[in-house]
Amino acid sequence: MAQPPQPSPESTPLLSMTGIVKQFPGVRALDGVDFQVRRGEIHSLMGQNGAGKSTLLKVLTGVYTRDAGQMLLDGRVISPRSPLEAQGEGISTVYQEVNLIPDLSVAENIVLGRQTQRFGFIDWRAARRQADAALARLDLQLDVSASLNSYSIAIQQMVAIARALDEECSLLVLDEPTSSLDQQEVARLFGVLRRLRDDGLGIVFVTHFLDQVYQISDTITVLRNGRLVGEWPAAEFSRIELIARMLGRDPASLTEAEAGAAPPSPVAAAEAARLVAHQLGRRGQLQPVDVEVGAGEVLGLGGLLGSGRTELARLLFGLDRADSGRVELAGRAVRRGQPRSAIAAGMGYSSEDRKVEGIIPELSVRENLILALASKRGLWRRLGRAAQEALADRYIQALGIATPDAEKRISELSGGNQQKVLLARWLAAEPSLLILDEPTRGIDVGAKAEIMALVADLKARGMSVVFISSELEEVVRSSDRIMVLCDRAALGELRGESKTEQAMLARIASAHQEVSGG
Amino acid sequence: MRRLLGPRMLPLAATGLVVVLLYLAAGAKFHDSNWFTYRVLRDLVVNNGVLGVLAIGMTFVILSGGIDLSIGSTVAFVGILSATLLGQGWSPPAVITLSLVCGVALGALMGWLVASFDLPPFMVTLGGMFLMRGVTLLINDSQIAITHPTYLASGKWPIHPAAGAWLIALVVALYLLHYTRFGRNIYAVGGSEQSALLMGLPVWRTKVAVYACCSLFAAFAGVAQSFVSLSGDSTQGVAQEMDAIAAVVIGGTLLTGGRGYVAGTVLGVLILGLIQSAIIFANINSWWTRIGIGLLLLIFVLLQRAIQQRVDRQ
Ligand SMILES: Nc1ncnc2c1ncn2[C@@H]1O[C@H](COP(=O)(O)OP(=O)(O)OP(=O)(O)O)[C@@H](O)[C@H]1O
Ligand SMILES: [Mg+2]
């Protein structure tokens, strides 16, 4: 195994954090972590969910105050007490969840805090121009005066990145910026990052997509359980070794262990179900489509961002009101635009946007976990406390949720672990049809495999699943059939032999050509 | 133009329409041409100018996601302070300056408590309300007439002091909210405080300034009130903060913050004023004013929710 090489002493690093300690009630999130970033380097910070990556970056940018340790930027001691001060030091940051103001326009979200002023007045025209320019760096053209929440999560994430890039900085920090982007958008972002690196910026990058790590990074630092594991040049650090270091296991034992690990099966058999949607659509959102999912079948929805995948999921579940068509689950009609009716009929929906639609930050892990089940059972058939605790513990175990206990506030969990709780919420409700919208977003490799295994397990018990993911490979692997969507319409289905990533891409590409050709 | 007709302006336009319709409907009901005279319109503005200024200040705090219950007491405090000091021979500019400074100081104190210790604005400003009312009563627990010639001469000004104050407050607020960083930061803090913090916006400073601003507007309203009533009255402005909140909400600003317009607040005050005028004009028992405002507030909140949901879905 490669030993972490000593950092070269000849040049002072751009950023040097030493002995950083951060204690939260009940958890030592960082325990004496050292972290260095040099100029002209893209540095990936890796680790499982809850390893302490976001916490380290938040200590760096003054969101959290550290309990011990020292930080040097450009050889100067820094101690920012707020993101504002960190910006003043030349650190520009994209935080893990999209942190913008949904009600304000795209332009404002980009220029907020640094608007051009003329004679004491904000120059709105300049603001729009500045926003257009910032987005153009990412090859993005938007109506910048539309409010941010009229755009998808992916676009919002791009806007957050554009905002960070628009700032004068010497260190750029990106905490899972690509979690909801598609391949093209990631490619554009990476183009920009490489250029910035060549200009001498230091860039910190966090992601759970290993492909991306190897595409972009020069150096990799691994954290585990709040401790530093080591730092390696990306070129000399194999993928299997990276995973082993993150999980704290021996690379040799890894492959067999992964193959042998049977997923725990916490879910009782759900009764057979069959979803039929006929000519379901909504003007401006999705052209009418027919959908059928049999009992024990996984239907994948494939397509690029904005193709209508999430829109279809929302219409099925009734989050948006369809203006045509009908939905039936196991023979029961689901009333349009009424998620309650969908839940009562046995549907579950794990949303892509966990921050807005998913978690309830003030409640504990246990309370968040039993929400769907409780609403399915109704007000009068409450679950006893002991039963709730047992249930919570079972899923914390099964999904490997990193939390000291079930009573911790969910907002204090790391991003990936919150996603796992959301998933557990729907699993606990034992729906007969579960819609999973980007269930693996922001989840580490180990847990990703667990989730995929869980999907397979659910299927084996007769539950129907609608599976949505930006990672085409994942869709191909876990689905029986794939419905390909493009430009908010269904292009057709892939099954059996033809169910491959290439076939899916070819379909989408030809559809695009037709559009631009005609 | 596109901005004016855009979906975000729709609720505002609808509220404006309601003002006009309310006015016309009341006129049609009365079959009385007096209703459509300049006098009625003038009274509408003049009688509601002080409330107009207060509601504009309240818009700032509500936009930031807070609330301020102390403004009614501040009006009374400024009235009593002005009357007392003028009686002791202070000059009007000195009195007005001191009043405004007191307003800013009170607001900054409350803002500091809210921002630094993360206290609920409701409690802090409730404290401010009792404090100011108490101090007012301490200075003088009755009514003092103002006899200073400058104040007496205000009747001959080209513009009524209440109307003038309202106009000044409106222009200042439009400038602050739409053309300064401070104003945009208020929207951001009200929209999502956590995000505003992570975006590197000066959240603490903004919150302190918002309360200082609101109290400044309240003190300014108090100055206007003393010109209008030519007296200081320790019972002035009781529960007026509630009228201000009602006006802001009717004007379409969300109580949770981050969304709304000062222009809406102006319309909100006009709607409250119209109901009041109509009821006086029709010679009905004035308790109906309260009942009318109460019902209207409920209807309006419902209506706005409906419009907003339509806009959001598009
Ligand atoms: N505000 C907080 N209060 C209490 N505990 C916290 C808080 N924020 C994070 N933690 C804990 O600190 C640990 C590290 O969390 P962190 O968010 O840094 O993980 P991460 O490496 O970013 O994971 P992910 O990949 O899931 O984003 C976790 O155990 C988490 O529960
Ligand atoms: Mg994280």
Side-chain angles (χ1 to χ4, degrees), chain A residues 331-362:
Chain A
R332 264 177 83 174
V334 177
R335 292 164 71 182
R336 274 187 201 172
Q338 292 192 8
R340 281 185 54 140
S341 164
I343 294 175
M347 225 189 270
Y349 176 56
S350 156
S351 144
E352 112 186 278
D353 186 356
R354 65 169 169 263
K355 194 170 164 199
V356 178
E357 286 159 13
I359 64 163
I360 300 184
E362 284 78 24

Side-chain angles (χ1 to χ4, degrees), chain B residues 44-54 162-163 165-166 221 269:
Chain B
L44 187 63
V45 174
V46 163
N47 292 340
N48 295 291
V50 172
L51 177 61
V53 176
L54 288 174
W166 196 2
V269 173

Side-chain angles (χ1 to χ4, degrees), chain A residues 63 83-84 87 95 99-101 103-105 108-109 112-115 117 120-122 124 143 145 163 282, chain B residues 2 8 175 178-181 184-185 187-188 191-192 195-202 205 258-259 313:
Chain A
V63 179
L84 182 63
Q87 269 176 27
Y95 293 94
N99 280 290
L100 297 173
I101 315 291
D103 275 334
L104 295 182
S105 71
E108 264 210 280
N109 271 294
L112 211 53
R114 39 172 194 269
Q115 299 98 328
Q117 287 170 307
F121 283 75
I122 289 177
W124 283 106
D143 173 9
S145 38
R163 175 181 168 85
R282 180 179 156 86
Chain B
R2 224 183 75 223
R8 270 183 287 174
Y175 165 69
H178 296 289
Y179 290 98
T180 65
R181 287 187 187 174
R184 302 322 293 169
N185 291 346
Y187 279 89
S192 164
S195 294
L197 200 70
L198 293 180
M199 286 167 91
L201 300 176
R205 202 198 312 155
R259 206 138 132 180
R313 281 218 226 113

